[in-house]
Each structure stands twice: as structure tokens, then as C-alpha cells.
């Protein structure tokens, strides 16, 4: 149990950098995805740093547990509640433009007293800094003479391909989460079917034994044996 808790803490530290580390400088902004187990009656929050004037997309999905639902909230770095959902199985939310600071994402399973939930969520950034870097690169390598194929066309093609590849990766990740949720649901249904099938078989055997014993009593000769 201690090893599992240490592994979970390490994964959280790698995915979402801690807040307010002195002298550490701005954390790198990158997309991330994480799957964690939310115990019954518990609330778990995550903090993600974001730059100013960017786009942050948050997608979450409950892929395991009874009911497949959870409460979700999203707060801005100033503490403003941006999103509040109650007992939802999944959700997609976009913050644009973002504020510089740490966004707070919370998943709450307090309403459940027995069932724990397996939750998957993904953070997708679309920073404007990437566009500035592309512009600087284009100005540095753009030739003076006119070419048949303009640099703007090449840039547009590269950006379109990059966007489509990123979206494909995101869709594959979501499909994998859907597949995991459906598999967990089917495995739970299979366990319930097997349990009640065993109960029905046991009841049938018990009834058969009782019927045999009852018939034997009907045909037993209860007359006293002559001496």
C-alpha cells in the first residue's frame, strides 16, 4: 500500500509541477494525461500552471466504479469558479484566453460512501508562443527572391499537419478511455451475472432435494410393524 501511494505521488509530481517553488522559474507548459483512483467519500484536486493568453482544454471521464459519475470543478488562478458539474460521467471544457497562474481541477466522490471511482483526465494546451516561434523561424529562413512555392504555403501546410496529428492523438486517447470504461462495465456485469447464476443453481438444487425428500415421506409405510 505504501509503495502504491509513493508511486501515485511521484506520478502526480511528474504530471503537475508543485506550486510556488522558490527560484524554479516558470514550469514548462505541455499537454498531459493521468488516470487515478478516487476513493469513496474523498475529494482530489490537481494544480496546473498556464501561461497568459493561451487556450486550455480539459477533458475528463469516469472509466470505472459504480454509477460512473463524479463531481467536477475548475477554478481560475484568482479563485473564480469556472466550471461546476455534479455527478457527471464525462466532460470537456475549454478556457480561452487563460490567465497566468495555477488552475485548480477537483474531482469529488464525497456523495459515494462505498464505491471508488477510476478517473481519467487530459489537459491540452494551445499556446500562442508556438505561433510566435513559427513566425520568427519563417522570417529567418525566408529567401529574398520569389519562389514558385511561397513560405507561407509551406507554413500553412506544416501547421495543418501538426494540428491534425495532435487532434488524432487526442482522439485516440479518448477512445482508449472509452474502451476502458466499457470494458470495466462489461466485467462488472459479467461478475453480477455469474453471481446470480450461481445463486439460481444453488436454489434449484435445494428445491430438488426438498422435493425428493417430500416425495419419499409420502410413499413411506407408516403402519406399525407386527411383532
Amino acid at each position: 500500500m505504501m509503495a502504491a501511494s509513493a508511486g501515485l505521488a511521484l506520478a502526480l509530481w511528474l504530471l503537475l509541477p508543485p506550486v510556488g517553488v522558490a527560484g524554479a522559474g516558470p514550469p514548462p507548459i505541455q499537454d498531459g494525461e493521468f488516470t487515478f483512483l478516487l476513493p469513496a467519500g474523498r475529494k482530489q484536486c490537481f494544480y496546473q500552471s498556464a501561461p497568459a493568453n493561451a487556450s486550455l482544454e480539459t477533458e475528463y471521464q469516469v472509466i470505472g466504479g459504480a454509477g460512473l459519475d463524479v463531481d467536477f470543478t475548475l477554478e481560475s488562478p484568482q479563485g473564480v469558479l469556472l466550471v461546476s458539474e455534479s455527478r457527471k460521467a464525462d466532460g470537456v471544457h475549454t478556457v480561452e484566453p487563460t490567465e497566468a497562474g495555477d488552475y485548480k481541477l477537483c474531482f469529488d466522490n464525497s456523495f459515494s460512501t462505498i464505491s471508488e471511482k477510476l478517473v481519467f483526465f487530459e489537459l491540452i494546451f494551445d499556446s500562442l508562443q508556438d505561433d510566435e516561434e513559427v513566425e520568427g523561424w519563417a522570417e529567418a529562413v525566408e529567401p529574398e527572391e520569389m519562389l514558385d512555392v511561397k513560405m507561407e504555403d509551406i507554413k500553412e501546410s506544416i501547421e495543418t499537419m501538426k494540428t491534425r496529428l495532435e487532434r488524432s492523438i487526442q482522439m485516440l486517447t479518448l477512445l482508449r478511455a472509452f474502451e476502458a470504461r466499457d470494458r470495466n462495465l462489461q466485467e462488472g456485469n459479467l461478475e453480477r451475472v455469474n453471481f446470480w447464476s450461481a445463486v439460481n443453481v444453488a436454489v434449484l438444487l435445494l428445491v430438488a432435494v426438498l422435493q425428493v425428500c417430500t416425495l419419499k415421506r409420502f410413499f413411506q409405510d407408516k403402519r406399525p410393524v407386527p411383532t
Side-chain angles (χ1 to χ4, degrees):
M1 180 65 68
M2 294 181 62
S5 300
L8 177 59
L10 178 59
L12 289 175
W13 181 80
L14 291 175
L15 175 65
L16 305 175
V19 180
V21 180
I29 303 301
Q30 57 183 356
D31 298 345
E33 60 183 62
F34 190 57
T35 303
F36 68 99
L37 191 63
L38 182 60
R42 296 286 299 276
K43 180 179 181 180
Q44 182 71 51
C45 294
F46 301 88
Y47 294 86
Q48 174 60 53
S49 299
N53 299 324
S55 175
L56 170 62
E57 182 177 345
T58 303
E59 303 179 5
Y60 73 92
Q61 199 174 133
V62 183
I63 60 178
L68 295 177
D69 53 359
V70 72
D71 294 345
F72 173 76
T73 57
L74 174 62
E75 296 182 11
S76 70
Q78 304 300 327
V80 179
L81 184 63
L82 302 177
V83 179
S84 179
E85 294 182 333
S86 177
R87 308 195 69 167
K88 295 291 290 294
D90 53 63
V92 180
H93 304 283
T94 302
V95 180
E96 185 178 13
T98 57
E99 304 176 25
D102 299 306
Y103 282 81
K104 181 179 179 182
L105 303 89
C106 292
F107 299 90
D108 193 354
N109 193 31
S110 300
F111 59 85
S112 178
T113 58
I114 300 177
S115 176
E116 58 187 12
K117 306 295 173 60
L118 187 62
V119 183
F120 162 84
F121 72 93
E122 182 180 20
L123 300 175
I124 303 171
F125 279 99
D126 185 11
S127 177
L128 301 181
Q129 297 176 354
D130 297 337
D131 299 335
E132 296 175 358
E133 294 176 358
V134 171
E135 292 291 339
W137 169 80
E139 293 177 359
V141 301
E142 186 174 4
E144 297 181 358
E145 63 276 7
M146 296 297 295
L147 301 176
D148 294 335
V149 181
K150 297 181 180 180
M151 291 299 299
E152 293 295 332
D153 297 334
I154 297 178
K155 280 198 309 176
E156 184 178 355
S157 300
I158 292 176
E159 285 301 311
T160 302
M161 184 180 299
K162 177 184 176 182
T163 302
R164 290 178 178 176
L165 288 175
E166 290 177 349
R167 180 53 61 180
S168 298
I169 294 174
Q170 296 165 10
M171 290 302 299
L172 288 174
T173 303
L174 288 178
L175 289 175
R176 187 168 65 247
F178 276 117
E179 187 271 336
R181 184 178 68 178
D182 294 340
R183 184 175 64 252
N184 292 334
L185 183 61
Q186 291 176 357
E187 289 177 353
N189 291 336
L190 179 62
E191 291 178 358
R192 285 193 289 270
V193 168
N194 290 336
F195 172 78
W196 288 111
S197 297
V199 171
N200 289 334
V201 170
V203 171
L204 288 175
L205 292 177
L206 179 61
V207 170
V209 171
L210 291 177
Q211 288 180 344
V212 171
C213 294
T214 303
L215 291 175
K216 284 184 177 180
R217 290 180 182 178
F218 287 160
F219 290 100
Q220 282 180 351
D221 190 0
K222 296 183 180 181
R223 291 177 299 176
V225 178
T227 57

